[in-house]
Structure formats: structure tokens, C-alpha cells
Amino acid sequence: MTSTPTISVSNTQGKPITPILDVDSLRKVYNQGAANENLAIDSVTFSVNKGEFLCIVGPSGCGKTTLLRTISGLAKPTVGTVQFEGTTLTRVPDGLGVVFQDYARSLYPWMTNLQNVSLPLKARGMKKAERLRRTHEVLDSVGLSKVANQYPWQLSGGMQQRVAIARALSYKPDLLLMDEPFASVDAQTRFDLEDLILKVRAEYGVTVVLVTHDIDEAVYLSDRIVVLSKGPSHVREVVPVELGEREQLATRSSDGFLTLRNHLLELVMPR
Amino acid sequence: MRDLASVETQRTGAPLSGVIASEIDIAEGAEYAGATSTGSQPGGSPKRRKRTARKALMTVVLAIGLPIILLVVWWILSANSHSPYFPPLSKILDQFWKLWIIGPAKAQLVPSLSHLAIGYVGGSLIGIISGVLLWRLPAVRRATSPVVYFLYVLPAPALLPALIAIFGIGEMRQIALIAFGAIWPTLLNTLDGMRGVDQVKFDSAKAMRLSPVRTVWSVVLPGASPQIAAGLRAGLQVSIILMVISEMVASTGGIGYFILQSQANLALVAMWTGILMLAIIGTVLNYLFVGVEHRVLAWFYGSRALEGR
Ligand SMILES: Nc1ncnc2c1ncn2[C@@H]1O[C@H](COP(=O)(O)OP(=O)(O)OP(=O)(O)O)[C@@H](O)[C@H]1O
Ligand SMILES: [Mg+2]
């Protein structure tokens, strides 16, 4: 274990890539020592490079939400470390945005969409005029400028999750963590949201880590996929994805996509 | 630790005693009537809207109609009454006009209502603030839990002699009693409401890096507000009852004093006008409360109405 915070590797152009997030032998035990002790994550190691779109796939209940809460600084690892931009996490860092699995639970129903999105800006002491400008800007990039003054519960599920995405993006984080963000919307909305997240990722230049149990979604979205085993999870394999420009129909029917998909299916459902 | 706060504090405002229960029922009717006046949710189909409108009309008719029917029945049944204890309603209303509208009795309203206002607002504030503090300090909460529960179940009027000993027979004693009654339902409901706020809402707050104070102000209090409102409403009922009681014991003014004096002087018609006045005050305050509640908690009733879509 060295104390050097950054591990430099080289990409094909020879430029050093600094991991924005570095997860090292993370282990999470709930209620340690108690009768209901529960090992949720056995040992997980991976790192996320700046600018990359990384998906973490794993079967239901394998500890994805636990992993995301731990790597975001919301929960402490039992063993192992999580480093964000070179420093070990003790709480959620400033440059990190989180989108939770269930928008109905994460958004604040007593606030309008505008108030929801501008809340983190308020917490950062941004002046009102600037805050309003930024809020409208980010609501605009998720296509919700028309419903700024409505409440989240007045919107469809897909729109609510877009409010949650706007809220996490409003303060321009370096890293966006998302926990199965599209799990509870219908297929069409899901495709739209997938393309939306690719669009805002390019627009904001944000690094994204997205947790999902949907292999197709992972292949469609990511540059790299971390495949988790059944719980208590460990990393089965890290799969690079090189599919170029994405387009729902063309990408999903391309040979590259199908090959990767089959490979991942075999990893997740070993015979 | 579901010890102290989980005591009969539901959003529906579990009645604290039989007496209060009947008054809550009155307000419940108003609640539904009010719900639709603020319920301007988009997305409801016209058919649905029509149905809810008809239902709302029914509740309004019931809420207004039933009291009118009762008054008419009272009027008819008491019209030929010669019993001094049950004077005809016509006589009571006539006296009511003379005493409370143009007459001297309306001066009694000033001490009653001002004590009620100060005591109720003060007690409610103490209840909410201590609720927040106890929520923040679980160790203190555990330690004080038996005491709080003990004070909650203690019938407040039993404290009157003690309060007289402490504050004398002045206004302070009356205000203190009213405040005392308002504290507990508010405190327990605040605490329970805050503990019911979803963990994911706290995770969101941490992820957005809200400060502890902002978390309380923007997340915990609003999240608990439907239940705080239930506590405030229960507190209002208790406060009104305690207002009357405090005026009936060792007091020199107020509606309760007026009722007791009239009875002692065998002015039974006047006594009935005082009771009528109390009923009116109780009803008006209840409707006011519900009106304000539905304005402030419009998000809550709106989202709840859409849930059942
Ligand atoms: N707060 C907690 N206390 C104790 N055990 C927990 C807690 N949260 C999760 N667990 C347990 O940890 C394991 C992993 O749960 P987790 O929610 O992280 O899985 P998941 O992969 O996100 O599941 P899903 O696919 O349903 O979202 C489960 O066995 C769960 O019961
Ligand atoms: Mg999960």
C-alpha cells in the first residue's frame, strides 16, 4: 500500500489517465457482530477514469445499492478504501452527484421542480440570480423547462427521474453516480432517458458511474462494465466496450453489441 | 426505539380522549370539503374530476346541512319548552344577540381568546422545537421518554391547583395551562413525523451537501409537516378545552367564567348563550385551522390525491 493517491496508467495516446474514483478491496458488512450480521459486499476493487462512462452490473440483491452508497461516501466501508480525486472519502465530496433508484423517495414533494433543482446550489451559497439562471439551464438540458414550477408528483415517472438528474447535475459535479435510475419506467421512456444521459454526459463533461441489473442497458451506455457476482459480491470481470457512436436501434442490433451481451450473460448466469 | 413517539400519533390525528374525538370529527368533514377547493391537480380526467366534484359537494352539503338540520330540530323541540333548564332556542338566540353581539358579554371574548392565542401558539412552538431537539439528540430522547409519556397521559386540569400555587390566580396561570396542553400532542407528533421521514430523503440531503440546519429546515420539518399539523390540530382542541376549564376555576373573566356565573345566578338562558358561543368559537377555529392547513400542505393533499389515481 503506497500513500501516493494517484495511480497513473497510460491510454493509447500515451497521456496519463488519473482515476477519478478508486475503490480498493471494499467490503461491507451490515450489523457487524450482531446476530443479524450480513455480508453485503465481499471484496470489490475497480477504478473509474476521468470522463468515462462506467456501468456496474449485477443480479438483484447482490449489493449494488450498498456499493453505490459506500463509494459515494454515504456509508462507510467495513474494510478497504474509496478515494475520490485522490482523497479518501469521509462524506459525500463536493464534486459528486447522486441519482437514486427511486425518484419518488429521493425528490422532495413539498418543493417545486425548480426548488428541488436549486436546493444544492442554495446549500453552496450561490446568489439567487445565478442560481435561477443555472437551474433553468439545467432543467432545459433535461427538457423540463416547461414544468419548472410544477411539483415532482405532478409529472410522469420518467420526468421525475429527469428532475432528479437535473438536481444532481445542477452544481456541475465531476462524477455522477446513478443507482438503477431507469429501473421503474417503461421501455420507451427508458430508451429516451438512456439517450438523455448520454447527451448530458457529453454536454457537462461529467464522468458517470451507473449501476444496473440490465445487461443491455449496460452495454448500450458504457465504455467499461464492471460485472459483479451474486451477493456477497466481488468483481467477476471488467469488460471494455467499444461500440462507437450510439443509436438505439442500430447499436442494439450490431454484432459488437450482441457479442458483448452474450459474453455478459454468460458471466452473470454461469452454467 | 419506537417507545415514546409512536403513542397513538397517526396522521389521521388519533383522538387523545373521547371529548376531543367528537370535535375532530367535525373538522374531518371540513377537511374533505377543503381538500377539493385546493385540489387543482393537473392530469385528472374530466370524468374523475366530475366524480370528485360531486363527492365534494356531498361533503359540503353534509357539513353545512347537518348542523342546520340539528338546529331546526332543536328549535322545534324546544319551542314549547317551559323547563328552565332547556329554554326555547328562539329565546337563546335572542339573548345571544343581546348579550354577545350588541351587549356587554362580548368583553369576555377578549381574555378568553387572547389567553388561548398566547397559550396555544406558545405551547405549539415549545412542542415543535423540543420535538426537533429530541429528534437530534436520541440519547436525551431515550432518557426523557418516560417523563414525556407521563406528562402526556396526565390530565392537564389536574395541574390547575399546582399552577395556581406557582403563578397565583392571574393570567399567567391560564396561559400556562393552555400551553401545557398544547405541548404534548404537538411534540409527540413532531417527533414521530420526523422519524418517519424516508432514509433516502436524508441520503439525498447528504449527497447535495445540505448543512444540518438546512436539512432540518428544508427536509425534516416539511417531511414531518403533515403529522405536525395533526399534532397542532389535536393541540388546538386541548387548548380550547383547557381555556374553558381554566376560566371556570378561580377566575374573574372569560367565557367559561360567564357560563359558570350565569348558572350560579340561575340565568340559564344566558348560560346557554355562553355554551353556544363556545361551540361557535370551536367550530370557527377548526375551520380556520383546516383552511390554513390545506393551503400550507397543498403539496401533501395534492400528491396523496394523485397516488390513488
Ligand atoms: N441498511 C441495511 N441493513 C442491513 N442489511 C442491508 C441494508 N441494506 C441492504 N442490506 C442487505 O444487503 C444486501 C444487498 O442489498 P442492496 O440493496 O445493496 O442490493 P441491490 O443489488 O441494490 O438490490 P436491488 O437489485 O434489489 O436494488 C441485501 O442482502 C440486503 O438485505
Ligand atoms: Mg438497489
Side-chain angles (χ1 to χ4, degrees):
Chain A
M1 281 286 103
T2 60
S3 59
T4 356
T6 52
I7 302 145
S8 291
V9 280
S10 290
N11 68 4
T12 42
Q13 282 98 49
K15 271 189 278 170
I17 304 172
T18 336
I20 187 168
L21 187 76
D22 194 44
V23 182
D24 187 17
S25 347
L26 186 145
R27 180 185 179 86
K28 180 72 185 178
V29 184
Y30 282 113
N31 311 313
Q32 194 167 28
N36 56 348
E37 182 176 291
N38 183 6
L39 176 61
I41 298 172
D42 184 17
S43 175
V44 167
T45 303
F46 66 92
S47 63
V48 185
N49 297 325
K50 208 162 173 44
E52 120 178 288
F53 200 127
L54 185 108
C55 280
I56 299 172
V57 290
S60 273
C62 78
K64 299 185 296 295
T65 299
T66 304
L67 179 64
L68 194 116
R69 290 189 79 242
T70 317
I71 64 179
S72 62
L74 286 169
K76 263 211 198 87
T78 311
V79 178
T81 54
V82 180
Q83 291 198 325
F84 175 73
E85 292 178 339
T87 41
T88 302
L89 286 190
T90 48
R91 61 170 185 146
V92 184
D94 203 10
L96 199 140
V98 186
V99 176
F100 295 89
Q101 187 165 353
D102 189 349
Y103 46 80
R105 293 172 67 190
S106 72
L107 291 173
Y108 298 145
W110 46 87
M111 293 182 180
T112 63
N113 299 317
L114 186 112
Q115 289 167 330
N116 264 290
V117 174
S118 65
L119 186 61
L121 302 176
K122 228 177 181 175
R124 283 163 174 74
M126 191 184 274
K127 292 269 173 343
K128 189 165 182 204
E130 168 72 358
R131 204 164 69 215
L132 266 179
R133 199 191 55 73
R134 177 77 73 83
T135 306
H136 280 295
E137 180 192 299
V138 70
L139 277 172
D140 203 33
S141 29
V142 298
L144 289 180
S145 35
K146 288 216 179 67
V147 295
N149 291 317
Q150 289 187 24
Y151 287 89
W153 41 268
Q154 297 178 309
L155 308 179
S156 69
M159 287 164 100
Q160 291 188 50
Q161 194 58 296
R162 281 194 270 163
V163 177
I165 293 169
R167 189 173 72 173
L169 282 175
S170 64
Y171 46 99
K172 304 205 164 149
D174 299 328
L175 176 63
L176 185 64
L177 297 179
M178 307 177 95
D179 185 10
E180 303 202 43
F182 315 136
S184 41
V185 297
D186 60 85
Q188 179 57 49
T189 310
R190 193 176 181 127
F191 289 166
D192 292 344
L193 287 174
E194 285 169 6
D195 287 331
L196 176 92
I197 199 68
L198 288 177
K199 182 192 87 122
V200 294
R201 174 236 184 164
E203 206 174 302
Y204 286 77
V206 60
T207 310
V208 184
V209 172
L210 188 144
V211 165
T212 179
H213 65 255
D214 184 331
I215 287 169
D216 288 26
E217 178 167 279
V219 177
Y220 182 73
L221 288 173
S222 46
D223 300 325
R224 229 152 39 103
I225 301 174
V226 173
V227 186
L228 298 180
S229 65
K230 281 206 305 255
S233 53
H234 56 91
V235 178
R236 285 190 68 91
E237 194 175 316
V238 179
V239 181
V241 180
E242 273 147 13
L243 291 174
E245 190 74 15
R246 306 297 206 273
E247 202 278 318
Q248 289 287 1
L249 276 179
T251 306
R252 281 175 194 270
S253 53
S254 70
D255 288 342
F257 185 94
L258 295 172
T259 315
L260 273 169
R261 176 177 191 270
N262 285 341
H263 176 61
L264 285 162
L265 271 175
E266 268 171 26
L267 278 177
V268 173
M269 294 190 284
R271 264 160 293 180
Chain B
M1 205 205 74
R2 295 210 55 81
D3 43 13
L4 147 183
S6 51
V7 189
E8 320 162 26
T9 51
Q10 289 301 308
R11 168 53 216 158
T12 40
L16 300 173
S17 74
V19 192
I20 309 162
S22 59
E23 293 206 36
I24 286 178
D25 287 343
I26 298 169
E28 220 72 68
E31 176 168 358
Y32 295 126
T36 43
S37 66
T38 45
S40 58
Q41 310 99 22
S45 69
K47 209 177 195 174
R48 212 185 96 90
R49 225 174 294 145
K50 214 173 191 177
R51 205 174 332 126
T52 46
R54 197 174 314 140
K55 226 166 95 189
L57 194 70
M58 273 304 288
T59 31
V60 170
V61 167
L62 272 180
I64 300 173
L66 206 60
I68 291 179
I69 291 172
L70 286 175
L71 280 177
V72 169
V73 171
W74 184 5
W75 183 288
I76 293 171
L77 289 185
S78 67
N80 299 316
S81 165
H82 295 293
S83 159
Y85 305 108
F86 299 104
L89 181 56
S90 54
K91 245 170 129 179
I92 296 173
L93 289 179
D94 182 55
Q95 275 282 311
F96 185 83
W97 176 265
K98 284 183 187 140
L99 284 170
W100 293 96
I101 309 294
I102 52 175
K106 62 173 172 288
Q108 306 292 351
L109 290 175
V110 179
S112 286
L113 293 180
S114 63
H115 294 162
L116 179 66
I118 300 170
Y120 174 62
V121 172
S124 299
L125 280 178
I126 295 173
I128 292 173
I129 293 169
S130 348
V132 174
L133 291 176
L134 287 182
W135 174 79
R136 282 288 292 178
L137 307 166
V140 181
R141 183 171 74 220
R142 267 186 291 274
T144 54
S145 160
V147 181
V148 171
Y149 184 71
F150 176 77
L151 291 173
Y152 167 66
V153 296
L154 180 78
L159 282 178
L160 251 183
L163 290 174
I164 292 175
I166 299 168
F167 295 110
I169 55 166
E171 289 187 306
M172 238 355 252
R173 166 199 51 120
Q174 289 172 311
I175 293 171
L177 185 71
I178 295 169
F180 180 85
I183 290 174
W184 310 112
T186 313
L187 177 117
L188 290 174
N189 275 286
T190 301
L191 205 47
D192 204 38
M194 294 180 124
R195 282 151 32 117
V197 176
D198 195 335
Q199 177 61 37
V200 178
K201 300 233 175 341
F202 288 110
D203 278 358
S204 303
K206 281 192 202 143
M208 291 186 279
R209 289 171 62 101
L210 305 191
S211 66
V213 172
R214 192 181 292 280
T215 303
V216 167
W217 191 250
S218 300
V219 182
V220 184
L221 279 175
S225 59
Q227 213 173 325
I228 295 177
L232 286 174
R233 178 165 342 146
L236 180 62
Q237 314 303 334
V238 179
S239 292
I240 294 174
I241 292 167
L242 291 178
M243 171 193 87
V244 181
I245 290 174
S246 76
E247 289 166 351
M248 286 185 164
V249 180
S251 168
T252 55
I255 306 167
Y257 170 78
F258 177 88
I259 293 173
L260 210 62
Q261 282 301 303
S262 307
Q263 189 253 3
N265 298 336
L266 292 175
L268 293 180
V269 178
M271 177 193 80
W272 279 105
T273 67
I275 294 170
L276 188 62
M277 192 66 217
L278 275 180
I280 292 172
I281 288 175
T283 311
V284 167
L285 288 180
N286 243 318
Y287 276 82
L288 266 179
F289 186 96
V290 170
V292 172
E293 185 194 3
H294 271 84
R295 194 130 299 198
V296 176
L297 294 183
W299 65 268
F300 175 74
Y301 292 103
S303 62
R304 209 177 53 166
L306 285 190
E307 243 167 49
R309 178 161 59 171

